[in-house]
Amino acid sequence: MTADKSSSYKHTESQMGNRWYRFFIGICLVLITTVSAQAWVGELDSSFSFDGKLDAASGSYDEYGNALVIQDDGMILVAGHSSASSDSDIVVKRYDESGILDPGFGTAGVATLVLAGDEYATDMLLDGDKILVVGYSNGGSKDDSLIARFNSDGSLDTTFNATGYLISDFSGSLAHDQINSVIVDSTGSIFVAGATKGGGSAYDFFAAKLTSVGGLDPSFNSTGISIIDIGTTSSSITSGSDDYANAIGVLSAANSNRIVVAGYSFDSNKSKNRIVVVGLDSSGSLDSGFSASVDGIYVLMKQGEANDLVVNDEDEIIVAGYLYDNFSASPSGSNDLALLRLYADGTINSTFTSGDIPGVVNTDYQSKKNNDAFYAVDFQPEDNKYVAVGFTNQATKDFVFARYLDDGTLDIDGTYTPDPGYYNDAITKIDFDSGEDL
């Protein structure tokens, strides 16, 4: 498995219920694999845990899974946190392709990071044979950024910061910060992104660069950390508004290994969240060649949020999240599934569209009055398709899976022609256990 952000699936703590966050690992395998022996691509894979679904809870305590990675050998890693002890600890579990815990990993298939206080995992990726897990730690008064690295057998990698983990107050102040996303570039440098409250009363985007052994890299903005207050640069957002970075990616050498960060800002003038994508150069400064009219920051002036991004083979940036009420001819009155596609320079790819906003594909699942959102997106390079996953809120919240063609059309294998704005039969919805699935 390459160290590619597209290999992981994540959800933040704020979007989860007060119980085990259940991963549909079997479905993810089917959706990511384009060649299947089954009659229909996108069906549950019955070779995984008998019915394609696995409830991995292992006790009476709460467990949450926030990230998923599939190894080259088919083994499945899930990272999250558990309240098995008196506080929350990071947990990484490894399953074989049939959904059975791997006894050769950690203790009976489970690796843990147990520290004083509460620790939470928000993202994970494979870096060669190492497992990088990021999130945050709270020792009692504030959240601090957390990065841990495990060996392939589930033990902590003590070549990383001597302990196998790093807890840092990246903002340089006694304020909250947390990491929401991680990526490793072709040189082995580690990039993370998240939100920090170190600059004042509001949260700001931050990106940081670390060396392969866990130290902050001073070649990146001199400190290893770049903090971006969206409102001080972009006139589209009020200065002092809260900004939250949820995803990070790195472009290829053809585009100078630039860094892109996606999330959202709260526009206090309009009391709405706006999708934001930031371009940074390799030194950690705002990239004046990205979305040049606003000096490195792209803001979509529609109400919504960005939760994940993936960079495709052409260095285009595909952002996943939601937009509110975006079908102008027939408003939904709710949050709708959304993908945004930008060229490497931060301009819109207008060939990717579903309607009234060039570069944006917006999908209202089934009912115009229910909220839907994507929380992860992946790119299939073999056929230039995009897989996105999230939830739809009908009578209860259910998982939703969709695959799109390169032009933004839903991939329906020729079996169904949807009306504009309605894609009911081209998207897979799964109700895990008749309860809330997030």
Side-chain angles (χ1 to χ4, degrees), residues 288-341:
S288 59
F290 184 86
S291 193
S293 62
V294 285
D295 197 24
I297 298 175
Y298 172 85
V299 179
L300 180 61
M301 292 305 293
K302 296 287 184 179
Q303 183 175 344
E305 298 181 8
N307 295 315
D308 197 20
L309 72 80
V310 66
V311 177
N312 70 14
D313 285 349
E314 302 298 322
D315 270 358
E316 293 178 316
I317 304 140
I318 293 80
V319 176
Y322 75 83
L323 289 173
Y324 177 78
D325 206 10
N326 194 41
F327 294 110
S328 59
S330 182
S332 66
S334 61
N335 298 333
D336 300 320
L337 306 167
L339 297 179
L340 164 70
R341 184 167 172 179

Side-chain angles (χ1 to χ4, degrees), residues 217-296:
D217 187 340
S219 70
F220 189 78
N221 201 38
S222 75
T223 61
I225 305 162
S226 180
I227 297 176
I228 307 104
D229 180 356
I230 304 301
T232 62
T233 301
S234 173
S235 60
S236 300
I237 300 295
T238 307
S239 180
S241 296
D242 283 316
D243 312 316
Y244 300 93
N246 287 330
I248 190 168
V250 178
L251 305 186
S252 70
N255 283 291
S256 305
N257 301 114
R258 296 201 301 265
I259 300 103
V260 287
V261 181
Y264 64 94
S265 294
F266 178 73
D267 181 1
S268 56
N269 279 342
K270 300 292 185 179
S271 297
K272 300 178 187 299
N273 291 331
R274 309 293 192 192
I275 290 177
V276 175
V277 185
V278 173
L280 301 173
D281 62 27
S282 59
S283 69
S285 300
L286 281 170
D287 180 5
S288 59
F290 184 86
S291 193
S293 62
V294 285
D295 197 24

Side-chain angles (χ1 to χ4, degrees), residues 67-114:
L68 182 151
V69 176
I70 302 172
Q71 298 181 177
D72 283 342
D73 60 4
M75 290 292 211
I76 302 158
L77 290 163
V78 178
H81 65 272
S82 168
S83 60
S85 62
S86 59
D87 50 26
S88 292
D89 302 311
I90 285 179
V91 173
V92 181
K93 298 184 179 185
R94 187 161 73 189
Y95 300 88
D96 65 19
E97 292 179 277
S98 64
I100 298 173
L101 282 168
D102 174 17
F105 182 79
T107 301
V110 181
T112 58
L113 176 63
V114 180

Side-chain angles (χ1 to χ4, degrees), residues 28-264:
C28 293
L29 286 170
V30 171
L31 288 175
I32 292 172
T33 304
T34 58
V35 179
S36 173
Q38 297 186 64
W40 298 102
V41 174
E43 287 186 342
L44 283 163
D45 181 357
S46 60
S47 70
F48 181 82
S49 190
F50 300 106
D51 61 358
K53 299 183 288 186
L54 174 66
D55 185 345
S58 55
S60 58
Y61 45 84
D62 290 337
E63 290 186 318
Y64 301 85
N66 296 350
L68 182 151
V69 176
I70 302 172
Q71 298 181 177
D72 283 342
D73 60 4
M75 290 292 211
I76 302 158
L77 290 163
V78 178
H81 65 272
S82 168
S83 60
S85 62
S86 59
D87 50 26
S88 292
D89 302 311
I90 285 179
V91 173
V92 181
K93 298 184 179 185
R94 187 161 73 189
Y95 300 88
D96 65 19
E97 292 179 277
S98 64
I100 298 173
L101 282 168
D102 174 17
F105 182 79
T107 301
V110 181
T112 58
L113 176 63
V114 180
L115 304 172
D118 295 314
E119 288 76 47
Y120 305 91
T122 56
D123 199 11
M124 171 178 59
L125 62 72
L126 284 175
D127 181 14
D129 62 351
K130 307 293 186 181
I131 304 161
L132 273 170
V133 178
V134 299
Y136 58 100
S137 174
N138 190 310
S141 61
K142 62 184 179 67
D143 297 335
D144 287 322
S145 295
L146 170 65
I147 307 172
R149 191 162 75 188
F150 295 86
N151 294 311
S152 59
D153 64 358
S155 61
L156 282 169
D157 176 12
T158 55
T159 67
F160 184 82
N161 196 42
T163 60
Y165 63 91
L166 171 68
I167 297 176
S168 178
D169 184 4
F170 279 168
S171 61
S173 65
L174 298 177
H176 294 288
D177 56 45
Q178 71 177 62
I179 298 171
N180 293 325
S181 185
V182 60
I183 191 76
V184 175
D185 71 6
S186 59
T187 70
S189 293
I190 302 165
F191 292 88
V192 296
T196 178
K197 208 171 184 179
S201 59
Y203 281 94
D204 294 323
F205 274 35
F206 83 82
K209 181 180 181 181
L210 294 93
T211 66
S212 60
V213 294
L216 286 168
D217 187 340
S219 70
F220 189 78
N221 201 38
S222 75
T223 61
I225 305 162
S226 180
I227 297 176
I228 307 104
D229 180 356
I230 304 301
T232 62
T233 301
S234 173
S235 60
S236 300
I237 300 295
T238 307
S239 180
S241 296
D242 283 316
D243 312 316
Y244 300 93
N246 287 330
I248 190 168
V250 178
L251 305 186
S252 70
N255 283 291
S256 305
N257 301 114
R258 296 201 301 265
I259 300 103
V260 287
V261 181
Y264 64 94

Side-chain angles (χ1 to χ4, degrees), residues 316 341 343 348-353 358-359 406-408:
E316 293 178 316
R341 184 167 172 179
Y343 290 114
I348 284 290
N349 182 341
S350 60
T351 67
F352 187 81
T353 185
D406 193 45
D407 64 357

